[in-house]
């Protein structure tokens, strides 16, 4: 889990942006959010990560792309 978080954090920005494309986003960034929530023992972040895994492919990927373009990191909403 920590290795996955470090791996994603250490990726170049352009690769992180590619991971935010439809279909890939729900898995790559959904797991990232889920693992980050597990690491912090935050139930809200865990639920948010699960929701992102389920719905990330549909519309939530757009938010990740915009967030990565503007802030160079994904949004959390919490």
């Amino acid at each position: 889990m920590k290795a996955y978080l470090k791996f994603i954090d250490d990726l170049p920005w352009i690769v992180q942006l590619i991971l935010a494309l439809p279909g890939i986003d729900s898995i790559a960034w959904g797991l990232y959010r889920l693992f980050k929530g597990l690491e912090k023992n935050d139930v809200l972040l865990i639920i948010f990560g699960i929701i992102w895994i389920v719905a990330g492919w549909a519309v939530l990927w757009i938010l990740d792309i915009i967030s990565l373009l503007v802030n160079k990191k994904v949004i959390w909403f919490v």
Side-chain angles (χ1 to χ4, degrees), residues 33-53:
R33 286 177 171 93
L34 177 66
F35 291 161
K36 197 67 120 164
L38 289 170
E39 181 181 59
K40 293 182 177 186
N41 291 323
D42 189 338
V43 176
L44 187 59
L45 289 178
I46 294 169
I47 292 170
F48 191 61
I50 292 169
I51 290 171
W52 211 274
I53 290 170

Side-chain angles (χ1 to χ4, degrees), residues 1-2 6 10 15 26-27 31 48 62 68 71-72 76 78:
M1 178 172 70
K2 289 184 184 215
K6 182 171 174 18
D10 291 344
V15 176
S26 63
I27 296 167
L31 287 176
F48 191 61
I62 296 169
L68 284 166
N71 300 324
K72 300 209 186 288
W76 289 97
V78 290

Side-chain angles (χ1 to χ4, degrees), residues 50-76:
I50 292 169
I51 290 171
W52 211 274
I53 290 170
V54 173
W57 64 272
V59 290
L60 298 176
W61 62 272
I62 296 169
L63 297 174
D64 275 346
I65 287 181
I66 292 170
S67 174
L68 284 166
L69 288 172
V70 174
N71 300 324
K72 300 209 186 288
K73 59 182 176 179
V74 291
I75 54 176
W76 289 97

